[in-house]
Amino acid sequence: AQTVTQSQPEMSVQEAETVTLSCTYDTSESNYYLFWYKQPPSRQMILVIRQEAYKQQNATENRFSVNFQKAAKSFSLKISDSQLGDTAMYFCALSNNAGNMLTFGGGTRLMVKP
Amino acid sequence: NAGVTQTPKFRILKIGQSMTLQCTQDMNHNYMYWYRQDPGMGLKLIYYSVGAGITDKGEVPNGYNVSRSTTEDFPLRLELAAPSQTSVYFCASSYSSRGGYEQFFGPGTRLTVL
C-alpha cells in the first residue's frame, strides 16, 4: 500500500512572500510519480507540478518548485511571490508506475493575505 | 474541448434511493476514474477503467457500480444510497495509465444522502 501525509492542515502567507508546503509519502515501488494539485473554492482540481521519481532534478513551473528528497520520501512545494489567486487547498499525490493507483494526502489549506 | 463534464452538479437523495452520476470526456482518453472526496479530506479512488468494456475496483468500491460501454462515458451507479455516501464525487480521465500522465478532472458532483 502507498500512503501520502500532509502534516500542515492550514497555512497562511502574505502576498508576494514565499511559502513551503510539506508532503511525505511511502511506497514500495522503485519508480513512481508525485504531483501537487490545487483545488480552489470552485472545487476544480488543477495540476500544479509533477515529478518523476527517477529524475533527480527538482521540477519547476514558473513560481512553483518542488524539493524532492527521495531517500527521505519527502516532496515539498515552494510557492514564490505568492498571489491572492494561490488561495486554495493543495493536495500532494503519489501515483504508482502503472498509473492505476493515485493516492492523495489530506490537503493543506493555503490562505494568501493581502 | 469541454474536457471532463459531470452531471448533476448537486443532488440530494433519501436513504435507499438509487442514482447514476454521469461522466463524459471528449479528449479520446482511454483511462477514466471515479473518486470521492469527503469533507476536509483528499480524494479516494472508487473505480477505474482502462478502456471500453474494462473496469476495476479502486480503494473504496463498496456500494458503487460502474460501466464503460463507450470511450467517452463512465457512469457511476449508487444502488442503495446511505448517509456514508455523502461526499463530492470527481470523475477524471487520462491519456495513458502510466503514472506520469496527468489526470484531468471534472468539476465534481456534490451528493447528500439524508
Side-chain angles (χ1 to χ4, degrees):
Chain A
Q2 53 189 45
T3 60
V4 177
T5 302
Q6 294 177 249
S7 59
Q8 305 152 314
E10 293 186 3
M11 295 191 71
S12 64
V13 63
Q14 292 296 131
E15 195 175 6
E17 292 188 347
T18 295
V19 63
T20 299
L21 281 58
S22 300
C23 172
T24 58
Y25 62 92
D26 193 22
T27 178
S28 58
E29 299 215 357
S30 56
N31 195 29
Y32 48 89
Y33 301 81
L34 292 157
F35 304 83
W36 278 98
Y37 277 91
K38 170 185 177 181
Q39 187 180 41
S42 67
R43 278 199 328 235
Q44 184 70 46
M45 295 289 287
I46 302 164
L47 178 65
V48 175
I49 199 164
R50 86 187 82 187
Q51 174 84 40
E52 189 163 6
Y54 75 76
K55 291 186 177 178
Q56 297 199 352
Q57 186 172 3
N58 288 327
T60 299
E61 289 286 342
N62 300 315
R63 298 183 294 108
F64 299 89
S65 61
V66 298
N67 183 5
F68 175 46
Q69 302 288 329
K70 190 172 183 178
K73 294 185 176 176
S74 169
F75 183 61
S76 61
L77 174 70
K78 185 171 83 171
I79 305 174
S80 304
D81 185 25
S82 296
Q83 300 175 0
L84 296 177
D86 295 334
T87 292
M89 283 288 288
Y90 286 82
F91 292 98
C92 178
L94 165 68
S95 174
N96 61 355
N97 195 41
N100 58 2
M101 184 59 67
L102 183 62
T103 302
F104 286 81
T108 295
R109 185 177 303 279
L110 177 67
M111 173 74 71
V112 180
K113 297 180 179 179
Chain B
N1 282 355
V4 179
T5 57
Q6 293 182 237
T7 57
K9 287 187 169 50
F10 305 93
R11 183 73 185 268
I12 298 175
L13 282 183
K14 294 183 179 179
I15 294 172
Q17 286 185 321
S18 301
M19 77 163 295
T20 299
L21 281 66
Q22 301 293 343
C23 175
T24 300
Q25 54 91 10
D26 63 359
M27 296 175 283
N28 202 31
H29 287 169
N30 281 326
Y31 304 90
M32 297 188 73
Y33 313 83
W34 272 106
Y35 295 89
R36 61 176 287 172
Q37 183 180 26
D38 297 332
M41 306 289 285
L43 281 67
K44 292 188 176 182
L45 183 65
I46 305 171
Y47 271 95
Y48 66 96
S49 169
V50 301
I54 306 170
T55 62
D56 208 346
K57 296 178 181 178
E59 187 182 358
V60 289
N62 291 345
Y64 307 95
N65 280 299
V66 292
S67 60
R68 184 93 182 273
S69 57
T70 66
T71 299
E72 295 78 20
D73 300 309
F74 190 41
L76 177 72
R77 178 93 179 148
L78 283 71
E79 289 294 348
L80 293 171
S84 61
Q85 293 178 305
T86 293
S87 192
V88 179
Y89 291 83
F90 289 95
C91 179
S93 72
S94 65
Y95 171 74
S96 167
S97 71
R98 282 193 57 209
Y101 281 87
E102 177 183 357
Q103 291 189 17
F104 293 83
F105 287 82
T109 295
R110 182 180 296 279
L111 175 66
T112 303
V113 182
L114 300 174

